Amino acid sequence: MERKSMTSHNYIFIMAGGVGSRFWPKSRNAYPKQFIDILGIGRSLLQLTYDRFLKVCPAENIFIVTNSAYKELIQEQLPDLAQGNILCEPSRNNTAPCISYAAFKIAAKDPEACMVIAPSDHFILHEDVFVNDIRHSLETVARKDILLTLGISPTRPDTGYGYIRFEQKTEDRIHKVIQFTEKPVLEKAKEFLKSGDYVWNAGIFIWSAKTILQAFELLSPQLFDLFNQGKDVYNTGEEQAFINKNYPLSPNISIDYAIMEKAANVYTMPVNFGWSDLGTWASLYQTADKNIGINNVLAGGELQLEETEDCIIHLPKDKLAVIRGLKDFIVVDDKDVLLIYPKSSEQEIKKITERLKEQDKGHYL
């Protein structure tokens, strides 16, 4: 089905409710990584994401989807954003419920709406390429009833990302998706890279509100029915009360499991705009500028290093660190926590935070 494209019907939804536990201890429950100037350039990841999307549509068409606990932080970091453009979730129920809520809300405001769903904490090196790809995607979903996800052309056999297999046959850069694969083992990742039929799943989605709501009605009726009950209160003074009461009743499920892995009209557009999800300290290390020769990534504090290389070191501005003999380590000194951990074992950091919670040491999180 073809529809006329109108740029005034384009809306951005930036998801900013996560806790970023793999970036602990810099990222804490009360101040997650999307609000941190993790790149050391004077803007948080959320602010950089917001700035990037201002090149796509006006500020009034940009919404932030977040946990209620972060509303004041968002208002502080994005003072030009209207309060009504902050969607507050009363509970953390994964991505499908928040996307369902966003789709119902924007469809009530504008039945012809097209949506971009994007994380708040990604790094984009080539922003002009990114903006052009987003515009092209929006023009496509305005004409076609498809669920589109951007696929990052893989540069290495990374086991930390999900993969999307697509048909080589293409129309205007858009490929039909064959299969989603969760984080593979290394040998599988090498096969995927060699085949040329796979892209990384970046978690950036583009579709019309009408198309995604049809998908929820067909494939996730529990979510559809729950949020459809509020169709008369969206964009009114009663919306938040409805959400506070009903949102916690939604299942804890990702958009991938709820919709993308089941739908027949899922497509991907392979892109290459210098992307990193900045999901871990090692991914920040790969992205950030390094010392010539010894390849350290340094932020904050004063450092005296000897025989220390391939490390990422984050310190408070007023701290001196003297380090000798470290290679391939993460060193983070933040408030009441000091982390010294091998980069090769960084996937364990999330497990450490879970263990601290179990040990009733949540005040360190």
Side-chain angles (χ1 to χ4, degrees):
M1 176 181 172
E2 300 282 327
R3 281 194 301 270
K4 186 178 179 181
S5 173
M6 293 182 65
T7 56
S8 60
H9 295 308
N10 293 338
Y11 300 86
I12 312 296
F13 289 84
I14 301 172
M15 295 185 291
V19 295
S21 56
R22 289 183 176 86
F23 256 105
W24 182 83
K26 195 74 178 176
S27 178
R28 306 288 185 104
N29 288 343
Y31 208 92
K33 71 166 182 171
Q34 60 267 29
F35 303 110
I36 298 171
D37 175 18
I38 202 80
L39 295 168
I41 58 175
R43 298 286 278 174
S44 72
L45 295 176
L46 172 64
Q47 289 170 322
L48 291 171
T49 303
Y50 177 79
D51 295 345
R52 193 179 302 132
F53 280 116
L54 283 174
K55 299 175 184 177
V56 176
C57 65
E60 58 264 29
N61 286 21
I62 299 177
F63 293 78
I64 311 295
V65 186
T66 190
N67 188 273
S68 301
Y70 305 138
K71 184 177 181 180
E72 290 184 7
L73 262 177
I74 290 168
Q75 290 175 316
E76 178 185 317
Q77 293 206 351
L78 302 177
D80 296 334
L81 186 72
Q83 185 168 322
N85 284 35
I86 304 175
L87 279 61
C88 292
E89 312 159 7
S91 60
R92 288 189 174 93
N93 292 27
N94 216 316
T95 52
C98 71
I99 290 172
S100 181
Y101 168 27
F104 271 102
K105 177 180 173 67
I106 207 63
K109 175 184 173 70
D110 179 359
E112 296 298 312
C114 291
M115 309 169 64
V116 177
I117 311 292
S120 60
D121 51 5
H122 287 186
F123 172 77
I124 306 294
L125 182 61
H126 307 298
E127 291 206 348
D128 290 346
V129 177
F130 173 83
V131 169
N132 286 336
D133 285 342
I134 292 292
R135 287 173 177 161
H136 181 68
S137 300
L138 284 165
E139 289 167 3
T140 301
V141 301
R143 294 182 289 106
K144 299 181 178 181
D145 291 322
I146 65 172
L147 304 173
L148 182 61
T149 179
L150 298 190
I152 307 300
S153 300
T155 55
R156 58 188 182 276
D158 201 302
T159 60
Y161 300 135
Y163 284 70
I164 302 170
R165 185 183 176 201
F166 59 88
E167 289 182 357
Q168 285 294 345
K169 179 182 173 185
T170 181
E171 179 184 338
D172 197 24
R173 297 178 62 198
I174 309 298
H175 301 255
K176 186 168 179 57
V177 168
I178 300 172
Q179 182 183 17
F180 287 84
T181 302
E182 287 298 300
K183 299 173 183 177
V185 297
L186 183 59
E187 286 308 310
K188 275 290 178 188
K190 287 178 179 177
E191 288 177 23
F192 293 169
L193 185 66
K194 187 177 180 180
S195 77
D197 295 336
Y198 291 81
V199 286
W200 289 333
N201 186 355
I204 302 171
F205 307 103
I206 305 97
W207 43 54
S208 69
K210 178 183 176 183
T211 301
I212 189 62
L213 287 177
Q214 287 173 342
F216 274 114
E217 186 174 18
L218 178 65
L219 302 171
S220 189
Q222 182 183 356
L223 274 172
F224 182 88
D225 292 344
L226 179 66
F227 289 103
N228 191 43
Q229 294 173 38
K231 61 185 178 183
D232 295 327
V233 302
Y234 293 118
N235 308 301
T236 75
E238 301 171 52
E239 177 181 321
Q240 194 62 53
F242 169 80
I243 290 299
N244 290 345
K245 178 183 177 183
N246 291 279
Y247 195 97
L249 304 176
S250 62
N252 189 322
I253 186 169
S254 71
I255 192 68
D256 292 298
Y257 284 124
I259 301 296
M260 302 301 281
E261 294 182 10
K262 301 176 185 176
N265 58 335
V266 178
Y267 289 75
T268 189
M269 185 171 81
V271 293
N272 189 5
F273 40 64
W275 171 90
S276 171
D277 69 342
L278 290 185
T280 63
W281 285 108
S283 62
L284 175 59
Y285 176 83
Q286 290 168 354
T287 301
D289 293 333
K290 301 168 187 66
N291 291 114
I292 296 173
I294 53 176
N295 287 324
N296 291 317
V297 172
L298 311 173
E302 187 175 336
L303 288 156
Q304 293 189 9
L305 306 179
E306 293 183 44
E307 300 171 22
T308 294
E309 58 188 43
D310 302 322
C311 292
I312 181 165
I313 304 172
H314 266 246
L315 300 175
K317 291 180 180 179
D318 57 353
K319 179 152 288 190
L320 165 69
V322 182
I323 301 173
R324 178 177 178 176
L326 282 188
K327 180 176 173 61
D328 282 316
F329 265 77
I330 302 161
V331 180
V332 183
D333 188 340
D334 188 79
K335 303 182 185 73
D336 52 356
V337 175
L338 171 63
L339 175 76
I340 304 173
Y341 220 79
K343 283 214 312 281
S344 60
S345 303
E346 67 157 2
Q347 294 294 337
E348 298 171 8
I349 292 176
K350 184 176 182 179
K351 296 177 184 176
I352 293 169
T353 64
E354 292 168 354
R355 193 160 64 240
L356 287 171
K357 192 174 182 180
E358 291 169 3
Q359 295 169 350
D360 203 24
K361 295 181 180 178
H363 57 285
Y364 290 118
L365 302 177

